[in-house]
Amino acid sequence: MQSYVIGSILNFYIFEFMTDFNDTIPVRHDLQTVAFYNLENLFDIIDDAYTNDNDFLPASAKKWTPKRYKNKLRKLGFAISNIGRHETGKHPAIVGLAEVENASVIKDLINSKHLEDCDYDYIHYDSLDERGIDVALLYDTNAFKVLTSETFTIQLFDDDGSPDYTRDILLVTGLLDGEKVHVIVNHWSSRREGQKETEHKRMASSNKVGEIISMLRHDDPDAKIIVIGDFNDDPSSNSIKQLVEGFNLYNPMETLRSYNRGTTNHKRQWNLFDQILFSTNFFESSRTEFEFSTANIFDEDFLKLFDGKFKGTPFRTYVGKKYKGGYSDHFPVYAIFKR
């Protein structure tokens, strides 16, 4: 307990220091950041008959109180506002989100302390996911103008033939500083029942993303496409490889995973489940169009545990039913594009 308290105090001071430090970074108007962040069960405190939210209520075993909810919103907002800031001097233009309960929690997030001045709006659709969580897209209205959005359902079935509902895939098309781009947001099925036992579910999602890409390229062979998400698979997994190899995508995350680095840690092993892929036409140099600059994991120290046997892993909100008061069990990822 003592080490946890010390870690929390250190986290607080780094939190305040980062706020001051980032104010001194000059804004780069030629750069824009696209990010993705799994928020680890961002639920409100209201009982919803249509979502599986019983664990996230004030009277539940997790004691999900208004104070804890507001603390999480503040911390997530701070993290999001700083993704890519070191390189660009500003908050991300686009942020894909996973594990949001509903539109209400997204509104609370963008109205929280560190995001209220960022001019964010959002795209969100309710899905039939059995955990009651969805994907969404935040976007800075000064940098990105939404043209269209739609969702795509993954048809999955349990062993008994009953439907297995998971998160829909979200497609948002818009103008990033005037240039048309398509953003596909994902949160694929977990490995909870085993990696091999569940691989077919993630392959089904991969196939659906392939169909979406083919549809976009049928309408526009030169479509600029960005695929972001928590894929619950690594860059070397079949589901990701088939997108890269079959649809002419580039995955900058392939070089980022290592023995001691990733976006999520399970049983002391790192995985890079959170990734950003994009069409290779983002490598074409142009004075008027965006091209890829760099990509990284946003794993700043304030997002990590400070000590103990899990030192350096994500500072989580919960471990089981134990409240830890952190950010998320995932680190965000981001890619920076330049024009």
Side-chain angles (χ1 to χ4, degrees):
M1 176 62 71
Q2 184 179 8
S3 63
Y4 171 71
V5 171
I6 292 173
S8 296
I9 293 172
L10 288 172
N11 185 282
F12 171 78
Y13 282 115
I14 287 181
F15 187 101
E16 294 300 314
F17 170 75
M18 285 282 294
T19 302
D20 294 336
F21 174 77
N22 284 322
D23 287 341
T24 67
I25 299 173
V27 174
R28 289 283 304 274
H29 297 288
D30 59 329
L31 301 177
Q32 292 291 7
T33 300
V34 176
F36 176 82
Y37 199 4
N38 181 320
L39 303 182
E40 188 200 340
N41 296 316
L42 183 57
F43 281 79
D44 59 28
I45 60 169
I46 302 169
D47 191 7
D48 186 338
Y50 298 100
T51 60
N52 186 14
D53 64 353
N54 290 340
D55 284 340
F56 293 93
L57 298 172
S60 71
K62 287 188 174 182
K63 296 182 173 62
W64 187 234
T65 61
K67 181 178 179 180
R68 291 179 174 183
Y69 176 56
K70 291 177 182 177
N71 180 58
K72 184 175 176 77
L73 290 172
R74 188 181 72 253
K75 287 187 171 181
L76 291 176
F78 178 75
I80 289 170
S81 71
N82 281 289
I83 299 173
R85 186 178 291 271
H86 179 75
E87 295 91 343
T88 68
K90 58 188 176 182
H91 56 270
I94 296 172
V95 187
L97 304 177
E99 297 200 10
V100 296
E101 181 187 12
N102 51 38
S104 176
V105 300
I106 306 172
K107 291 177 184 177
D108 289 343
L109 179 63
I110 63 179
N111 288 322
S112 62
K113 177 180 177 181
H114 298 287
L115 297 184
E116 60 184 351
D117 295 327
C118 293
D119 293 320
Y120 277 129
D121 204 345
Y122 67 93
I123 299 291
H124 166 266
Y125 295 86
D126 287 313
S127 73
L128 295 175
D129 176 71
E130 293 172 352
R131 287 178 58 201
I133 53 176
D134 308 313
V135 299
L137 190 81
L138 293 187
Y139 60 95
D140 181 344
T141 56
N142 299 304
F144 187 74
K145 308 299 181 185
V146 174
L147 299 176
T148 63
S149 65
E150 60 181 310
T151 57
F152 298 83
T153 300
I154 314 301
Q155 299 291 335
L156 299 174
F157 298 92
D158 291 324
D159 292 339
D160 61 2
S162 60
D164 178 11
Y165 297 110
T166 189
R167 282 74 61 179
D168 292 342
I169 295 172
L170 172 63
L171 168 64
V172 180
T173 297
L175 301 177
L176 180 60
D177 283 346
E179 181 179 358
K180 190 174 184 178
V181 296
H182 309 273
V183 184
I184 304 172
V185 189
N186 301 265
H187 184 194
W188 295 357
S189 299
S190 76
R191 297 182 172 189
R192 191 169 291 107
E193 288 81 30
Q195 177 182 348
K196 290 297 182 183
E197 291 80 359
T198 57
E199 183 180 25
H200 69 282
K201 297 181 180 182
R202 292 183 295 280
M203 290 299 295
S205 295
S206 177
N207 292 338
K208 180 60 69 173
V209 172
E211 292 176 14
I212 297 169
I213 293 173
S214 296
M215 174 192 72
L216 294 173
R217 287 179 173 162
H218 178 268
D219 295 335
D220 177 9
D222 297 319
K224 282 195 158 180
I225 301 167
I226 304 173
V227 182
I228 60 179
D230 172 3
F231 300 97
N232 276 300
D233 268 339
D234 289 305
S236 59
S237 300
N238 292 331
S239 61
I240 301 298
K241 282 292 187 183
Q242 80 165 9
L243 288 178
V244 171
E245 297 169 1
F247 294 92
N248 198 27
L249 301 181
Y250 177 71
N251 187 359
M253 305 297 162
E254 288 183 8
T255 61
L256 295 179
R257 185 194 175 195
S258 65
Y259 174 77
N260 58 1
R261 196 176 189 221
T263 59
T264 186
N265 190 284
H266 181 63
K267 295 182 178 179
R268 303 192 188 185
Q269 292 188 341
W270 284 102
N271 291 100
L272 215 170
F273 289 164
D274 307 87
Q275 301 170 58
I276 297 177
L277 298 73
F278 52 84
S279 52
T280 56
N281 51 4
F282 275 104
F283 285 108
E284 298 173 3
S285 296
S286 170
R287 292 183 179 179
T288 60
E289 296 183 352
F290 280 102
E291 60 181 285
F292 172 66
S293 177
T294 187
N296 211 340
I297 303 167
F298 189 70
D299 53 357
E300 296 288 339
D301 285 344
F302 74 89
L303 289 170
K304 301 175 181 177
L305 289 173
F306 283 86
D307 52 18
K309 63 182 179 179
F310 298 111
K311 179 181 178 180
T313 63
F315 182 23
R316 304 172 57 162
T317 307
Y318 281 93
V319 176
K321 288 183 170 58
K322 294 183 179 179
Y323 179 69
K324 299 299 182 181
Y327 298 77
S328 172
D329 55 354
H330 288 245
F331 293 136
V333 291
Y334 65 101
I336 294 174
F337 298 90
K338 179 180 180 180
R339 70 186 317 174

